[in-house]
Amino acid sequence: QELGRSHNVVVLLLSGGPLRPQFLSSSTALIQARRACVNRKLVKRALRKASPDAIPAFALVNSVVSAPLLEPLRGEGIPCLSLVHEFVTYIKPLDVFSEVGLWSSRVVCSTPLTWSDVLRHCPHLSGVPLAVLPQGRCQLPESSSTINSNEVEQQTYDPTEEFLRQLPKQTLLVLGAGAVQPRKGVDLFIAIAAQIKRQVPDLDVQFAWIGSGYAPDHDFNVSAWLKDQIIRSGLDNDLFMLPASPAYSELIHRSNLFIVSSRLDPLPNVAIDAMLEGTPVLC
């Protein structure tokens, strides 16, 4: 979105997704490749088709997941800035970080914590050119133009909007956000809620977690145990698991306290959003 104001932007996606139409509208050309098929010949052919008059001046390669693109892009003479925001703990094999170190013109991290974690496991990457740039707010693109009338009818009910409508003005709201998975520490968020209710039982407070992936009837690895924890903690009427929603910004604005319960996170967008709303953030 930002670069499109001053540059011709060619977007290369390793898979599709709900933001594909927005990528398309914000770019000069969009290439969709399959991660398993990425090689120099494919990248060269795709770039020639997308940008026939000149090779791109540079490439922003987002996340270590995109590391297979680095060698083909450098092979075409394109400088590559690699945006790394993952920790070694949950990315395997380690070879992917070696690829980032070998082929990147420069690595960019949002916090020194991220790259120091990489160096602890891959000390041979200590000489890789590095820049640390704390990120700003991630401004999500408007999605209304991509929703047809049938989809609008299907999406009239939003649990998050309903939750906000029914939440009394005087009630304090403690919020957590992120995909429902072990790294995000949803269980720790529930434990915090239970501790608050024990310590100040008369406090008018409710808790909400917003994020995709909560399916206690189908997900027996994480969600089923979270639901059990909520019930056993006596939080049935005080803690609400909300699906991802366009009302996320409104929920952030309404919250009185935001909790980052992640076991490991560099600088989550949700924390930045909360701070920019003036909501206190507890890690």
Side-chain angles (χ1 to χ4, degrees), residues 15-108:
S15 62
L19 288 179
R20 190 182 186 282
Q22 285 84 356
F23 276 119
L24 189 59
S25 65
S26 299
S27 61
T28 309
L30 185 143
I31 305 164
Q32 187 160 328
R34 286 185 298 168
R35 190 178 291 111
C37 301
V38 169
N39 55 53
R40 184 172 176 181
K41 188 181 293 185
L42 180 144
V43 169
K44 184 174 185 176
R45 189 167 66 242
L47 287 175
R48 188 175 294 139
K49 186 176 179 181
S51 179
D53 300 325
I55 63 167
F58 59 91
L60 295 175
V61 183
N62 186 37
S63 100
V64 296
V65 177
S66 303
L69 284 167
L70 285 166
E71 183 181 0
L73 288 169
R74 289 300 299 274
E76 292 304 303
I78 302 171
C80 293
L81 290 173
S82 290
L83 312 182
V84 175
H85 42 82
E86 295 90 351
F87 288 90
V88 169
T89 307
Y90 53 87
I91 298 292
K92 297 290 182 287
L94 281 178
D95 292 354
V96 73
F97 289 97
S98 294
E99 282 189 65
V100 170
L102 178 63
W103 296 107
S104 301
S105 305
R106 180 165 296 182
V107 171
V108 182

Coordinates of all heavy atoms in Angstrom, one line a residue, residues 15-108:
S15 N 1.4 -18.5 -1.5 CA 0.1 -19.2 -1.4 C -1.0 -18.1 -1.5 O -0.7 -16.9 -1.4 CB 0.0 -20.0 -0.1 OG 0.1 -19.2 1.0
G16 N -2.2 -18.6 -1.7 CA -3.3 -17.6 -1.7 C -3.7 -17.2 -0.3 O -3.0 -17.4 0.7
G17 N -5.0 -16.7 -0.2 CA -5.5 -16.3 1.1 C -6.5 -15.2 1.0 O -6.7 -14.6 -0.1
P18 N -7.1 -14.8 2.1 CA -8.2 -13.8 2.0 C -7.7 -12.4 1.6 O -8.5 -11.6 1.2 CB -8.7 -13.8 3.5 CG -7.7 -14.4 4.3 CD -6.9 -15.4 3.4
L19 N -6.4 -12.1 1.7 CA -5.9 -10.8 1.3 C -5.5 -10.7 -0.1 O -5.0 -9.7 -0.6 CB -4.8 -10.3 2.3 CG -5.2 -10.0 3.7 CD1 -4.0 -9.6 4.5 CD2 -6.2 -8.9 3.7
R20 N -5.6 -11.8 -0.9 CA -5.2 -11.8 -2.3 C -5.8 -10.7 -3.1 O -5.0 -10.0 -3.8 CB -5.5 -13.2 -2.9 CG -4.8 -13.3 -4.3 CD -5.2 -14.7 -4.9 NE -4.4 -14.9 -6.1 CZ -4.7 -14.4 -7.3 NH1 -5.8 -13.6 -7.4 NH2 -4.0 -14.6 -8.4
P21 N -7.1 -10.4 -3.0 CA -7.7 -9.3 -3.8 C -7.0 -8.0 -3.4 O -6.9 -7.1 -4.3 CB -9.2 -9.4 -3.4 CG -9.4 -10.7 -3.0 CD -8.1 -11.2 -2.3
Q22 N -6.7 -7.8 -2.1 CA -6.1 -6.5 -1.7 C -4.7 -6.4 -2.3 O -4.3 -5.3 -2.7 CB -6.2 -6.3 -0.2 CG -7.5 -6.0 0.4 CD -8.4 -7.2 0.6 OE1 -8.0 -8.4 0.2 NE2 -9.6 -7.1 1.1
F23 N -3.9 -7.5 -2.2 CA -2.6 -7.5 -2.8 C -2.7 -7.1 -4.3 O -1.9 -6.3 -4.9 CB -1.9 -8.8 -2.7 CG -1.3 -9.0 -1.4 CD1 -1.6 -10.1 -0.5 CD2 -0.2 -8.2 -1.0 CE1 -1.0 -10.3 0.7 CE2 0.4 -8.4 0.2 CZ 0.0 -9.4 1.1
L24 N -3.7 -7.7 -5.0 CA -3.9 -7.4 -6.4 C -4.2 -6.0 -6.7 O -3.6 -5.3 -7.6 CB -5.0 -8.3 -7.0 CG -5.2 -8.4 -8.5 CD1 -3.9 -8.9 -9.2 CD2 -6.4 -9.3 -8.8
S25 N -5.1 -5.4 -5.9 CA -5.5 -4.0 -6.1 C -4.3 -3.0 -5.8 O -4.3 -1.9 -6.3 CB -6.7 -3.7 -5.3 OG -6.5 -3.7 -3.9
S26 N -3.4 -3.4 -4.9 CA -2.3 -2.5 -4.5 C -1.0 -2.7 -5.3 O 0.0 -2.1 -4.9 CB -2.0 -2.7 -3.0 OG -3.2 -2.4 -2.2
S27 N -1.1 -3.5 -6.3 CA 0.2 -3.8 -7.0 C 0.0 -3.6 -8.5 O -1.1 -3.6 -9.1 CB 0.6 -5.3 -6.8 OG -0.4 -6.2 -7.2
T28 N 1.2 -3.6 -9.2 CA 1.2 -3.5 -10.6 C 1.0 -4.9 -11.3 O 0.3 -5.0 -12.3 CB 2.6 -3.0 -11.1 OG1 3.0 -1.8 -10.4 CG2 2.6 -2.7 -12.6
A29 N 1.5 -5.9 -10.6 CA 1.3 -7.3 -11.0 C 1.4 -8.2 -9.8 O 2.0 -7.9 -8.8 CB 2.4 -7.6 -12.1
L30 N 0.7 -9.3 -10.0 CA 0.7 -10.3 -8.9 C 1.0 -11.7 -9.5 O 0.5 -12.1 -10.4 CB -0.7 -10.4 -8.2 CG -0.8 -11.3 -7.0 CD1 -1.6 -10.7 -5.9 CD2 -1.3 -12.7 -7.3
I31 N 2.0 -12.3 -8.8 CA 2.5 -13.6 -9.2 C 2.1 -14.6 -8.1 O 2.5 -14.3 -6.9 CB 4.0 -13.7 -9.5 CG1 4.4 -12.6 -10.5 CG2 4.4 -15.1 -9.9 CD1 5.9 -12.3 -10.5
Q32 N 1.5 -15.7 -8.4 CA 1.2 -16.7 -7.3 C 2.0 -18.0 -7.6 O 1.7 -18.6 -8.7 CB -0.3 -16.9 -7.2 CG -0.6 -17.8 -6.0 CD -2.0 -17.7 -5.5 OE1 -2.6 -16.7 -5.6 NE2 -2.5 -18.8 -5.0
A33 N 2.9 -18.3 -6.8 CA 3.7 -19.5 -7.0 C 3.4 -20.5 -5.9 O 2.8 -20.2 -4.9 CB 5.2 -19.1 -6.9
R34 N 3.8 -21.7 -6.2 CA 3.7 -22.8 -5.1 C 5.1 -22.9 -4.5 O 6.1 -23.1 -5.2 CB 3.2 -24.1 -5.7 CG 1.7 -24.0 -6.1 CD 1.2 -25.4 -6.5 NE 1.9 -25.8 -7.8 CZ 1.8 -27.0 -8.3 NH1 1.1 -28.0 -7.6 NH2 2.5 -27.3 -9.4
R35 N 5.1 -23.0 -3.1 CA 6.4 -23.0 -2.4 C 7.2 -24.2 -2.9 O 8.4 -24.0 -3.1 CB 6.1 -23.1 -0.9 CG 7.3 -22.9 -0.1 CD 7.0 -23.0 1.4 NE 6.2 -21.8 1.8 CZ 5.0 -21.9 2.2 NH1 4.3 -23.0 2.2 NH2 4.3 -20.8 2.6
A36 N 6.6 -25.3 -3.2 CA 7.4 -26.5 -3.6 C 8.0 -26.3 -4.9 O 9.0 -27.1 -5.3 CB 6.5 -27.7 -3.5
C37 N 7.5 -25.4 -5.8 CA 8.0 -25.3 -7.1 C 8.9 -24.1 -7.4 O 9.2 -23.7 -8.5 CB 6.8 -25.2 -8.1 SG 5.7 -26.6 -8.0
V38 N 9.3 -23.4 -6.3 CA 10.0 -22.2 -6.5 C 11.5 -22.5 -6.9 O 12.2 -23.3 -6.3 CB 10.1 -21.4 -5.1 CG1 11.1 -20.2 -5.2 CG2 8.7 -20.8 -4.8
N39 N 11.9 -22.0 -8.1 CA 13.3 -22.1 -8.5 C 13.6 -20.9 -9.4 O 12.7 -20.1 -9.7 CB 13.5 -23.4 -9.3 CG 12.5 -23.5 -10.5 OD1 12.4 -22.6 -11.3 ND2 11.8 -24.6 -10.5
R40 N 14.9 -20.8 -9.8 CA 15.3 -19.6 -10.5 C 14.6 -19.4 -11.8 O 14.2 -18.3 -12.2 CB 16.8 -19.6 -10.6 CG 17.4 -18.4 -11.3 CD 18.9 -18.3 -11.3 NE 19.4 -17.1 -12.0 CZ 20.6 -16.9 -12.2 NH1 21.6 -17.7 -11.7 NH2 21.0 -15.8 -12.8
K41 N 14.4 -20.5 -12.5 CA 13.8 -20.5 -13.8 C 12.4 -19.9 -13.7 O 11.9 -19.1 -14.5 CB 13.8 -21.9 -14.5 CG 13.3 -21.9 -15.9 CD 13.3 -23.3 -16.5 CE 14.7 -23.8 -16.6 NZ 14.7 -25.2 -17.3
L42 N 11.6 -20.4 -12.7 CA 10.2 -20.0 -12.5 C 10.2 -18.5 -12.2 O 9.4 -17.7 -12.7 CB 9.5 -20.8 -11.4 CG 8.1 -20.5 -11.1 CD1 7.3 -21.8 -10.8 CD2 8.0 -19.5 -9.9
V43 N 11.0 -18.1 -11.2 CA 11.1 -16.7 -10.8 C 11.4 -15.8 -12.0 O 10.8 -14.7 -12.2 CB 12.0 -16.5 -9.6 CG1 12.3 -15.0 -9.3 CG2 11.5 -17.2 -8.4
K44 N 12.4 -16.2 -12.8 CA 12.9 -15.4 -13.9 C 11.8 -15.2 -14.9 O 11.5 -14.1 -15.4 CB 14.1 -16.1 -14.6 CG 14.7 -15.3 -15.7 CD 16.0 -15.9 -16.2 CE 16.7 -15.1 -17.2 NZ 18.0 -15.7 -17.6
R45 N 11.1 -16.3 -15.2 CA 10.0 -16.3 -16.2 C 8.8 -15.4 -15.7 O 8.2 -14.6 -16.4 CB 9.5 -17.7 -16.5 CG 8.5 -17.8 -17.6 CD 8.3 -19.2 -18.1 NE 7.6 -20.0 -17.0 CZ 8.2 -21.1 -16.4 NH1 9.4 -21.5 -16.8 NH2 7.6 -21.8 -15.5
A46 N 8.5 -15.6 -14.4 CA 7.4 -14.8 -13.8 C 7.7 -13.3 -13.8 O 6.9 -12.5 -14.1 CB 7.1 -15.3 -12.4
L47 N 8.9 -13.0 -13.4 CA 9.3 -11.6 -13.3 C 9.3 -10.9 -14.7 O 9.0 -9.8 -14.9 CB 10.7 -11.4 -12.7 CG 10.8 -11.6 -11.2 CD1 12.2 -11.6 -10.7 CD2 9.9 -10.6 -10.4
R48 N 9.8 -11.7 -15.7 CA 9.8 -11.2 -17.1 C 8.4 -10.9 -17.6 O 8.2 -9.9 -18.2 CB 10.5 -12.2 -18.0 CG 10.8 -11.6 -19.4 CD 11.6 -12.6 -20.3 NE 12.9 -12.8 -19.8 CZ 13.5 -14.0 -19.7 NH1 12.9 -15.0 -20.1 NH2 14.7 -14.0 -19.2
K49 N 7.5 -11.7 -17.2 CA 6.1 -11.5 -17.6 C 5.5 -10.4 -16.8 O 4.7 -9.5 -17.4 CB 5.3 -12.8 -17.3 CG 3.9 -12.7 -17.8 CD 3.2 -14.1 -17.6 CE 1.7 -14.0 -18.1 NZ 1.0 -15.3 -17.9
A50 N 5.8 -10.2 -15.5 CA 5.2 -9.2 -14.7 C 5.8 -7.8 -14.9 O 5.2 -6.8 -14.9 CB 5.3 -9.6 -13.2
S51 N 7.1 -7.8 -15.2 CA 7.9 -6.6 -15.4 C 8.8 -6.7 -16.6 O 10.0 -6.9 -16.5 CB 8.7 -6.3 -14.1 OG 9.4 -5.1 -14.2
P52 N 8.2 -6.7 -17.8 CA 9.0 -7.0 -19.0 C 10.1 -6.0 -19.4 O 11.0 -6.3 -20.0 CB 7.9 -7.0 -20.1 CG 6.8 -6.2 -19.6 CD 6.8 -6.4 -18.1
D53 N 9.9 -4.7 -18.9 CA 10.9 -3.7 -19.3 C 12.1 -3.5 -18.4 O 13.1 -3.0 -18.8 CB 10.1 -2.3 -19.4 CG 9.0 -2.3 -20.4 OD1 9.1 -3.0 -21.4 OD2 7.9 -1.7 -20.1
A54 N 12.0 -4.0 -17.2 CA 13.1 -3.9 -16.3 C 13.0 -4.8 -15.1 O 11.9 -5.2 -14.7 CB 13.2 -2.4 -15.7
I55 N 14.1 -5.2 -14.5 CA 14.0 -6.1 -13.3 C 13.7 -5.2 -12.1 O 14.1 -4.0 -12.1 CB 15.3 -6.9 -13.1 CG1 16.5 -5.9 -12.8 CG2 15.6 -7.8 -14.2 CD1 17.7 -6.6 -12.2
P56 N 13.1 -5.6 -11.1 CA 12.8 -4.8 -9.9 C 14.1 -4.3 -9.3 O 15.1 -4.9 -9.3 CB 12.1 -5.8 -9.0 CG 11.5 -6.8 -9.9 CD 12.4 -7.0 -11.0
A57 N 14.0 -3.1 -8.7 CA 15.1 -2.4 -8.1 C 15.5 -3.1 -6.8 O 16.7 -3.2 -6.4 CB 14.8 -1.0 -7.8
F58 N 14.6 -3.7 -6.1 CA 14.9 -4.4 -4.9 C 13.7 -5.3 -4.5 O 12.6 -5.2 -5.1 CB 15.1 -3.5 -3.7 CG 14.0 -2.5 -3.4 CD1 13.0 -2.9 -2.5 CD2 13.9 -1.3 -4.0 CE1 12.0 -2.0 -2.2 CE2 12.9 -0.4 -3.7 CZ 11.9 -0.8 -2.8
A59 N 13.9 -6.2 -3.6 CA 12.8 -7.1 -3.1 C 12.7 -7.1 -1.6 O 13.7 -7.1 -0.9 CB 13.1 -8.6 -3.6
L60 N 11.5 -7.0 -1.1 CA 11.2 -7.2 0.3 C 10.7 -8.6 0.5 O 9.6 -8.9 0.0 CB 10.2 -6.2 0.8 CG 10.6 -4.7 0.7 CD1 9.4 -3.8 1.1 CD2 11.7 -4.4 1.6
V61 N 11.5 -9.4 1.2 CA 11.2 -10.8 1.4 C 10.7 -11.0 2.8 O 11.5 -11.0 3.7 CB 12.4 -11.7 1.1 CG1 12.0 -13.2 1.2 CG2 12.9 -11.4 -0.4
N62 N 9.4 -11.2 2.9 CA 8.7 -11.2 4.2 C 8.7 -12.6 4.9 O 8.1 -13.5 4.4 CB 7.3 -10.7 4.1 CG 6.6 -10.5 5.4 OD1 7.3 -10.1 6.4 ND2 5.3 -10.8 5.5
S63 N 9.4 -12.7 6.0 CA 9.5 -13.8 6.9 C 10.4 -14.9 6.4 O 10.6 -15.0 5.2 CB 8.1 -14.4 7.2 OG 7.8 -15.5 6.4
V64 N 10.9 -15.7 7.3 CA 11.8 -16.8 6.9 C 11.1 -17.9 6.0 O 11.8 -18.6 5.3 CB 12.5 -17.5 8.1 CG1 13.3 -16.5 8.9 CG2 11.4 -18.1 9.0
V65 N 9.8 -17.9 6.1 CA 9.0 -18.8 5.3 C 9.3 -18.6 3.8 O 9.2 -19.5 3.0 CB 7.5 -18.7 5.6 CG1 6.7 -19.7 4.7 CG2 7.3 -19.1 7.1
S66 N 9.6 -17.3 3.4 CA 9.9 -17.0 2.0 C 11.3 -17.1 1.6 O 11.7 -16.7 0.5 CB 9.4 -15.5 1.8 OG 8.1 -15.3 2.1
A67 N 12.1 -17.7 2.5 CA 13.6 -17.9 2.2 C 13.9 -18.6 0.9 O 14.9 -18.2 0.2 CB 14.3 -18.6 3.4
P68 N 13.1 -19.6 0.4 CA 13.4 -20.2 -0.9 C 13.4 -19.2 -2.1 O 14.0 -19.6 -3.1 CB 12.2 -21.2 -1.1 CG 11.8 -21.5 0.3 CD 11.9 -20.2 1.1
L69 N 12.8 -18.0 -1.9 CA 12.9 -17.1 -3.0 C 14.2 -16.3 -3.1 O 14.5 -15.7 -4.1 CB 11.7 -16.1 -2.8 CG 10.3 -16.6 -3.2 CD1 9.3 -15.6 -2.6 CD2 10.2 -16.7 -4.7
L70 N 14.9 -16.3 -2.0 CA 16.1 -15.4 -1.9 C 17.1 -15.7 -3.0 O 17.6 -14.9 -3.8 CB 16.7 -15.5 -0.6 CG 16.0 -14.8 0.6 CD1 16.5 -15.2 1.9 CD2 16.1 -13.3 0.4
E71 N 17.5 -17.0 -3.1 CA 18.5 -17.4 -4.1 C 18.1 -17.1 -5.6 O 18.9 -16.4 -6.3 CB 18.9 -18.9 -4.0 CG 20.0 -19.3 -5.0 CD 20.4 -20.7 -4.9 OE1 19.7 -21.4 -4.0 OE2 21.2 -21.2 -5.6
P72 N 16.8 -17.4 -6.0 CA 16.4 -17.1 -7.3 C 16.4 -15.6 -7.6 O 16.7 -15.1 -8.6 CB 15.0 -17.7 -7.4 CG 15.0 -18.8 -6.4 CD 15.9 -18.3 -5.3
L73 N 16.0 -14.8 -6.6 CA 15.9 -13.3 -6.7 C 17.3 -12.7 -6.8 O 17.6 -11.9 -7.7 CB 15.2 -12.7 -5.6 CG 13.6 -12.9 -5.6 CD1 13.1 -12.5 -4.2 CD2 13.0 -12.2 -6.7
R74 N 18.2 -13.2 -6.0 CA 19.6 -12.7 -6.0 C 20.3 -13.1 -7.3 O 21.1 -12.4 -7.9 CB 20.4 -13.2 -4.8 CG 20.1 -12.6 -3.5 CD 20.3 -11.0 -3.5 NE 21.6 -10.6 -3.7 CZ 22.6 -10.5 -2.8 NH1 22.3 -10.9 -1.5 NH2 23.8 -10.1 -3.1
G75 N 19.9 -14.3 -7.8 CA 20.4 -14.8 -9.1 C 20.0 -13.9 -10.3 O 20.7 -13.8 -11.3
E76 N 18.9 -13.1 -10.1 CA 18.5 -12.2 -11.1 C 19.1 -10.8 -10.9 O 18.7 -9.8 -11.6 CB 17.0 -12.1 -11.2 CG 16.3 -13.4 -11.7 CD 16.8 -13.8 -13.0 OE1 16.7 -12.9 -14.0 OE2 17.3 -14.9 -13.2
G77 N 20.0 -10.7 -9.9 CA 20.6 -9.4 -9.6 C 19.8 -8.4 -8.8 O 20.0 -7.2 -8.9
I78 N 18.8 -9.0 -8.1 CA 17.9 -8.1 -7.3 C 18.3 -8.1 -5.8 O 18.4 -9.2 -5.2 CB 16.5 -8.6 -7.4 CG1 16.0 -8.7 -8.9 CG2 15.5 -7.8 -6.6 CD1 14.7 -9.4 -9.1
P79 N 18.7 -7.0 -5.3 CA 19.0 -6.9 -3.8 C 17.8 -7.3 -3.0 O 16.7 -7.0 -3.3 CB 19.3 -5.4 -3.6 CG 19.6 -4.9 -5.0 CD 18.8 -5.7 -5.9
C80 N 18.0 -8.0 -1.9 CA 16.9 -8.6 -1.1 C 17.0 -8.1 0.4 O 18.1 -8.4 1.0 CB 16.9 -10.1 -1.1 SG 16.5 -10.8 -2.7
L81 N 16.0 -7.5 0.8 CA 15.9 -7.2 2.3 C 15.0 -8.3 2.9 O 13.8 -8.4 2.5 CB 15.2 -5.8 2.5 CG 16.1 -4.6 2.1 CD1 15.3 -3.3 2.2 CD2 17.3 -4.5 3.0
S82 N 15.5 -9.0 3.8 CA 14.7 -10.1 4.5 C 14.1 -9.6 5.8 O 14.9 -9.1 6.7 CB 15.6 -11.3 4.7 OG 15.9 -11.9 3.5
L83 N 12.8 -9.6 5.9 CA 12.1 -9.2 7.1 C 11.9 -10.4 8.0 O 11.1 -11.3 7.7 CB 10.8 -8.5 6.8 CG 10.8 -7.5 5.7 CD1 9.5 -6.9 5.4 CD2 11.8 -6.4 6.0
V84 N 12.6 -10.5 9.1 CA 12.6 -11.7 9.9 C 12.0 -11.4 11.2 O 12.4 -10.5 12.0 CB 14.1 -12.2 10.2 CG1 14.0 -13.4 11.2 CG2 14.7 -12.7 8.9
H85 N 10.9 -12.1 11.5 CA 10.2 -11.9 12.8 C 9.9 -13.2 13.5 O 9.0 -13.2 14.4 CB 8.9 -11.1 12.6 CG 8.1 -11.5 11.4 ND1 7.2 -12.5 11.4 CD2 8.1 -11.0 10.2 CE1 6.7 -12.6 10.2 NE2 7.2 -11.7 9.4
E86 N 10.5 -14.3 13.1 CA 10.3 -15.6 13.7 C 11.5 -15.9 14.7 O 12.6 -15.5 14.5 CB 10.2 -16.7 12.7 CG 8.9 -16.6 11.8 CD 9.2 -15.8 10.5 OE1 10.3 -15.1 10.4 OE2 8.3 -15.8 9.7
F87 N 11.2 -16.8 15.6 CA 12.2 -17.3 16.5 C 12.6 -18.7 16.1 O 11.8 -19.5 15.5 CB 11.7 -17.4 18.0 CG 11.6 -16.0 18.6 CD1 10.4 -15.3 18.5 CD2 12.7 -15.5 19.3 CE1 10.3 -14.0 19.1 CE2 12.6 -14.2 19.9 CZ 11.4 -13.5 19.8
V88 N 13.8 -19.1 16.3 CA 14.3 -20.4 16.0 C 13.5 -21.5 16.6 O 13.3 -22.6 16.0 CB 15.8 -20.5 16.4 CG1 16.3 -22.0 16.2 CG2 16.7 -19.6 15.6
T89 N 13.0 -21.3 17.8 CA 12.2 -22.3 18.5 C 11.1 -23.0 17.7 O 10.9 -24.2 17.8 CB 11.6 -21.6 19.8 OG1 12.6 -20.9 20.5 CG2 10.9 -22.7 20.7
Y90 N 10.4 -22.2 16.9 CA 9.3 -22.8 16.2 C 9.5 -22.8 14.6 O 8.5 -23.0 13.9 CB 8.0 -22.1 16.6 CG 8.0 -20.6 16.4 CD1 7.6 -20.0 15.2 CD2 8.2 -19.8 17.5 CE1 7.6 -18.6 15.1 CE2 8.2 -18.4 17.4 CZ 7.9 -17.8 16.2 OH 7.8 -16.5 16.0
I91 N 10.7 -22.6 14.2 CA 11.0 -22.8 12.7 C 12.0 -23.9 12.5 O 13.1 -23.8 13.1 CB 11.5 -21.4 12.1 CG1 10.4 -20.3 12.3 CG2 11.9 -21.6 10.7 CD1 9.2 -20.5 11.4
K92 N 11.7 -24.9 11.8 CA 12.6 -26.0 11.5 C 12.5 -26.3 10.0 O 11.4 -26.1 9.4 CB 12.3 -27.2 12.3 CG 12.4 -27.0 13.8 CD 13.9 -26.8 14.3 CE 14.0 -26.7 15.8 NZ 13.6 -25.4 16.3
P93 N 13.5 -26.7 9.3 CA 14.9 -27.0 9.8 C 15.7 -25.7 10.0 O 15.3 -24.6 9.4 CB 15.5 -27.9 8.8 CG 14.8 -27.5 7.5 CD 13.4 -27.1 7.9
L94 N 16.8 -25.7 10.7 CA 17.6 -24.5 10.9 C 18.2 -24.0 9.6 O 18.6 -22.8 9.5 CB 18.7 -24.8 11.9 CG 18.3 -24.8 13.4 CD1 19.5 -25.1 14.3 CD2 17.8 -23.4 13.8
D95 N 18.3 -24.9 8.6 CA 18.9 -24.5 7.3 C 18.3 -23.3 6.7 O 18.9 -22.5 6.0 CB 18.8 -25.6 6.3 CG 19.7 -26.8 6.7 OD1 20.4 -26.7 7.7 OD2 19.6 -27.9 6.1
V96 N 17.0 -23.0 7.1 CA 16.3 -21.9 6.5 C 16.9 -20.6 6.9 O 17.0 -19.6 6.1 CB 14.8 -22.0 6.8 CG1 14.5 -21.6 8.3 CG2 13.9 -21.1 5.9
F97 N 17.4 -20.5 8.2 CA 18.1 -19.3 8.6 C 19.4 -19.1 7.9 O 19.8 -18.0 7.7 CB 18.2 -19.4 10.1 CG 16.9 -19.2 10.9 CD1 16.3 -20.3 11.4 CD2 16.4 -17.9 11.1 CE1 15.1 -20.2 12.0 CE2 15.2 -17.8 11.8 CZ 14.5 -18.9 12.2
S98 N 20.1 -20.2 7.6 CA 21.3 -20.1 6.9 C 21.1 -19.6 5.5 O 21.9 -18.8 5.0 CB 22.0 -21.5 6.8 OG 22.4 -22.0 8.0
E99 N 20.0 -20.0 4.9 CA 19.6 -19.4 3.6 C 19.4 -17.9 3.7 O 19.8 -17.1 2.8 CB 18.3 -20.1 3.0 CG 18.5 -21.4 2.4 CD 17.2 -21.9 1.7 OE1 16.8 -21.3 0.7 OE2 16.6 -22.9 2.2
V100 N 18.7 -17.5 4.7 CA 18.5 -16.1 4.9 C 19.8 -15.3 5.1 O 20.0 -14.3 4.5 CB 17.6 -15.8 6.2 CG1 17.5 -14.4 6.5 CG2 16.2 -16.4 5.9
G101 N 20.7 -15.9 5.9 CA 22.0 -15.2 6.1 C 22.8 -15.2 4.9 O 23.6 -14.2 4.6
L102 N 22.8 -16.3 4.1 CA 23.7 -16.4 2.9 C 23.2 -15.5 1.8 O 24.0 -14.8 1.1 CB 23.7 -17.8 2.4 CG 24.5 -18.1 1.1 CD1 26.0 -17.8 1.4 CD2 24.3 -19.6 0.7
W103 N 21.9 -15.4 1.5 CA 21.4 -14.7 0.3 C 20.8 -13.3 0.5 O 20.6 -12.6 -0.4 CB 20.4 -15.6 -0.4 CG 20.9 -16.9 -0.9 CD1 20.7 -18.1 -0.4 CD2 21.8 -17.1 -2.0 NE1 21.4 -19.1 -1.1 CE2 22.1 -18.4 -2.1 CE3 22.4 -16.2 -2.9 CZ2 22.9 -19.0 -3.1 CZ3 23.2 -16.7 -3.9 CH2 23.5 -18.1 -4.0
S104 N 20.6 -12.9 1.8 CA 20.0 -11.6 2.0 C 21.0 -10.5 1.8 O 22.2 -10.6 2.3 CB 19.4 -11.5 3.4 OG 18.4 -12.5 3.6
S105 N 20.7 -9.4 1.2 CA 21.5 -8.2 1.2 C 21.6 -7.6 2.6 O 22.6 -7.1 3.0 CB 21.0 -7.2 0.2 OG 20.8 -7.8 -1.1
R106 N 20.4 -7.7 3.3 CA 20.4 -7.2 4.6 C 19.2 -7.9 5.3 O 18.2 -8.1 4.7 CB 20.3 -5.7 4.7 CG 20.2 -5.2 6.2 CD 20.4 -3.7 6.3 NE 21.8 -3.4 5.8 CZ 22.3 -2.1 5.8 NH1 21.6 -1.1 6.2 NH2 23.5 -1.9 5.4
V107 N 19.4 -8.2 6.6 CA 18.3 -8.7 7.4 C 17.7 -7.6 8.2 O 18.4 -6.8 8.8 CB 18.7 -9.9 8.3 CG1 17.6 -10.3 9.3 CG2 19.2 -11.1 7.5
V108 N 16.4 -7.5 8.3 CA 15.7 -6.5 9.1 C 14.8 -7.2 10.1 O 14.0 -8.0 9.8 CB 14.8 -5.6 8.2 CG1 14.2 -4.5 9.1 CG2 15.7 -4.9 7.1

